[in-house]
Amino acid sequence: MDGTGILKGLAVTFKRMLDTYIDDFKRGKKRYYTEEGIRYRQSAEVKGIFTVQYPDEKLPVPEEFRFVPFLVYDEGPNGERKDRCTACGICSKVCPAQCIWIKRATNPKTGRPIPHSEEFYIDIDMCMNCGLCAEYCPFDSIKMDHDYELATYDRHRDNILNKERLLKPASYYAQIRPLNYAREEEAKRQAEEAKRKAAEARAKRMAARKKAAPPKKEDKS
Amino acid sequence: MSTDDLNSPEYKDKIPEELQGTVAITTLDRIYNWGRRNSLWPMMFGLACCAIEMICTAAARFDFARFGMEVMRSSPRQADVMIVAGTVTKKMLPQVVRLYNQMADPKYVVAMGACASGGGPFKEGYNVVSGIDKYLPVDVYIPGCPPTPQALIYGLMKLQQKVDKQSIKEVYSNAGKEIPIPVLGPDIMDPRDYEKIREYTLKKAEAEAQAATAAESAQSA
Amino acid sequence: MSEQVVATEQDLLLSRFPEVVKPDERKGYDGYIVDAKALLDFAKTLRDDLGYDYLSSVTGVDYLPEGKMEVVYHAYKTTGGAPLVFKVQVPRENPVVPSLVSIYPGADFQEREAWDLLGIKFEGHPNLKRILMWEGFHGHPLRKDWHEPYYEEEHKPYKSRWPEGKAFRAEDRNPFGKNVDYPAGFDPAKWTPDISDALIYEGLGRIDKPRDDLPTEQIIVNLGPQHPSTHGVFRMVVTLDGETIVDLEPVMGYLHRNHEKIGERNTWLMNMPFTDRLDYLSPMSNNFGYALAVEKLLGVKPPERAEYIRVIMAELTRIQNHIFAIGMFLNDMGAFFTPSLYAIEERELILDVFEAVAGSRMMVNYFRFGGVARDIPEDVMKKIHDLAFERLPRRIDELDRYLTNSEIVRARGEGVGVLPAEKAIAFSAAGPVLRASGVPYDVRRAEPYGIYDRFDFDVAVRYHGDVYDRYLIRMDEVRQSIRIIQQALKQIPEGPIMTGKPQYQHRVPPGESYGRVEGPKGELGFYVVSNGKGNPWRYHVRAPSFINLTALAEMTRGHKVADIVVILGSIDIVLGEVDR
Ligand code: SF4
């Protein structure tokens, strides 16, 4: 019969509307503006209205979410900053859009490059948010940020990020990516442990050798 | 809508207590902008990947109808905002400029995504316009590739803030001015640049001729 | 057994075409090199005697050091099996190759593309014009000695980025401050601009005699490039007789982002995030195809768990794409936005999964050569579980209930835009378009890749070849994809997700490779050529959306103008892939 299709369609829409009210009734105030409510509206069980009331409530981003990159610095006990970046250039080499510029610092006396970056720029008008830089950085120094509220009025002034705007503390990183941070710290700790053990073993060996053949060494010197 | 954002701050205290919240004293600019900022109609105009995120922003989950933007118009004559969502190619550029010219004043341009702002990952491509601001005046740039729906909404809110600050006089100062439409030649040509292009190609031809004679003389020698 | 078949095939071809057909003996290469003179006969033999009825991909390669242009063809049997690759080599200065359009009409757009980008002339092509760039553009950009205005270096990474690192914008180095360059001695004032439009109109057919009972005049209507129905920036030049479509010419290239030129400048790994931006609605499939092509060259195989993750992700992509396509298709039918709102809701939930696993909703950049970038976290696994076992089947049923028998969908879909099976094959249509025409051809079955041979699923097929069937087939495929995901979730083992160490510089052995997957839009192929360096020498994408459009004119002819929108919607194109 003509028109049944339209009626069916309307019924589906009507059901959706009812769902919203039933759901509101069941979950009460918790449904809106609470973390729990948002989580529910992100889950596969969600029924009824689906809208996230940005900016009053924000859809939480998952840990792996990536927007533009930032640089991590470690904080010393007295608040001094120590960037992790060693200017090895891997991020700028893997960047598909080639939007990372790094100038290596040089030792003012010898003029030789030192493992430190003097300047670091990212043009976020070219960046494709792919995350390869963060994935391949061996020093865990460049990471993808979660902050997406970056709209500007003037891109020529604001959209080439320099070191000052890129650097963020490790504590911030730990806060946005807790699991990754914990994993990396653990790996670092283990590596250090292994290094220490190796050093100890070496020291022991050396001592043993010294004991075994002390006169020879004296000869040589 | 509460009267708070309608009130002019300087008159706010003059409203009697019992009328607070019901009556608002405002300036013409303010009420005019209040009306405009709450009914910014975007043009239904998508270019590339970012357009999909724009559709998602219009859909149920993020729903920019909450900002009075639900009426996506396919005709430029009825639109206030042009969201340049995606890569602008040279082949498409004349149409984009033409669409802009056809929009009614006051009109706004939002460059959504890295591509529209500055060429993005495709910047080096031979058919890509490295930033729509080379041709159109852009009001808000939204970085990201693609900006997530929430980032887009944030950008649109920035645009609303901009609208808030304008005065009626300046809003229409550019009315009726058309941007010359670029022409597809051997490469895209901006009519304003013709003089420059001629100069450049003449110089290039000279340089080539010189190089040719130099090569010839080198050969004969 | 199969080797024997190949052997006899080879014997037959070589004995029938002595001298002019030789096996390709370069290291890492496959197939035959055919003399340009014999190409037409060779192709005819392939199609009529050997059963290679489906010409999947045509592309050119510029071998600059050898001074040669090569045209590469990949032909398949629609009954399944490996490709037969054949090539024609011509000198670089004046590359002329006979056109195969008369034998395989599906070569039409692809040959035009090769002409446009590489300057290879196809003799006998009915309409050899530029397709992605505009008529009048200077040069053929994919040639290795052609440089774009922002040219910096032959290959990435650029030296200026590190260690010099003085940030600049490319426009600062261009005399115009824009991405433009002009040939020497060119005078803009003497330029006649409309040439491309004039040519487009010229190419359209006309009815010689108007009907005598009803004197009518034909008019030409442009749909697009900015038009709400075109799914992006696509243009159709339609010749109308009253309301009836006499002819239609698709015009594309409005989103031509020079994917291949940039791809040949990139390193192998850098191309992975770029593939996301091809068909931006189904990025995981694109990753999959490219990873397969390069893995073939590298000779690596991902570990078990990674294989399962790949399948789960690819199928989720298919579901997400088809749901979106159905929603948008209903939009085109006039059910403005309500069905798409529901469709997008399901899509959002799948995008949440992508975001949690890969980091981005759309641009996933998730596959690596020899595995995937990250493991699926526990809670996301649970969510996929919930989606695959409960929510999606329920929602698909709901969509089905209220759309499939809706009289509007039926009235506007049934018998509209019919593409018979023979024509679908001839036009090299792929994916849902091909299968809706009654050809059960699915790369996952015909030439299984990854671990698709382990799953139990049906190749969806419908037989009318009309718009309605193309809608139904998407529904069927979503159901099959859910089935595959359910099996994969049950079987997925624990273990590593990457073979070998993650690395960013790949030494890829010289040779060619063609990796193809069944993307949501159809057969998505990546043809890559390596010369042993860090960058691909040639990187070509066989884009299903692009090639499916070859049949568009055929499907629309004789229908009413309002049907164009519906027919285009039923093909389900994404412009990022059409124009690349
Ligand atoms: S900015 Fe990124 S997502 Fe947006 S159009 Fe460009 S490539 Fe696509």
Side-chain angles (χ1 to χ4, degrees), chain B residues 31-92:
Chain B
I31 194 163
Y32 193 67
N33 287 340
W34 175 80
R36 285 190 318 127
R37 55 117 58 187
N38 288 315
S39 63
L40 285 170
W41 291 2
M43 182 154 67
M44 192 146 116
F45 167 65
L47 291 169
C49 351
C50 280
I52 304 294
E53 285 296 55
M54 187 174 72
I55 294 173
C56 288
T57 316
R61 194 184 217 175
F62 301 99
D63 190 14
F64 59 29
R66 295 179 292 123
F67 299 87
M69 296 178 184
E70 71 274 37
V71 207
M72 289 261 236
R73 302 272 80 181
S74 303
S75 160
R77 305 269 183 217
Q78 303 159 345
D80 304 301
V81 193
M82 178 189 227
I83 302 179
V84 184
T87 323
V88 187
T89 61
K90 291 180 185 168
K91 196 170 178 178
M92 188 64 194

Side-chain angles (χ1 to χ4, degrees), chain A residues 3 42 46 66 96 98 135, chain C residues 156 161 364 368 383 407:
Chain A
Q42 250 186 321
V46 60
R66 48 187 153 79
Q98 294 286 294
E135 201 171 316
Chain C
K156 287 178 185 173
R161 305 303 200 257
V364 293
R368 296 287 176 271
K383 182 155 181 196
E407 53 273 68

Side-chain angles (χ1 to χ4, degrees), chain A residues 2-5 13 16 42 44 46 64-66 87-88 92-94 96 98 101-102 128 130 135 155, chain C residues 156 158 161-163 165 168-169 270 277 342 345 355 358-359 364-365 368 374 383 391 395 398 407:
Chain A
D2 274 3
T4 45
T13 312
R16 292 261 172 157
Q42 250 186 321
V46 60
E64 290 302 341
F65 176 74
R66 48 187 153 79
C88 71
S92 95
K93 278 187 260 176
V94 294
Q98 294 286 294
W101 282 262
I102 307 173
M128 67 202 296
C130 66
E135 201 171 316
R155 78 173 170 110
Chain C
K156 287 178 185 173
Y158 298 146
R161 305 303 200 257
W162 181 87
F168 62 89
R169 290 182 195 258
M270 283 178 190
R277 288 153 180 84
Y342 295 165
E345 188 174 327
E355 196 176 26
V364 293
N365 184 19
R368 296 287 176 271
R374 267 169 232 100
K383 182 155 181 196
R391 178 153 181 128
R395 283 308 157 104
E398 188 187 83
E407 53 273 68

Side-chain angles (χ1 to χ4, degrees), chain A residues 152-154, chain B residues 33 36-37 108-109 137-141 155-167 170-171:
Chain A
T152 51
Y153 295 127
D154 183 0
Chain B
N33 287 340
R36 285 190 318 127
R37 55 117 58 187
Y108 299 92
V109 177
V138 175
D139 296 284
V140 176
Y141 300 89
L156 292 172
M157 279 159 45
K158 277 263 212 196
L159 179 65
Q160 289 187 328
Q161 286 162 17
K162 182 167 186 168
V163 170
D164 275 343
K165 292 206 191 84
Q166 287 179 319
S167 81
E170 96 189 65
V171 160

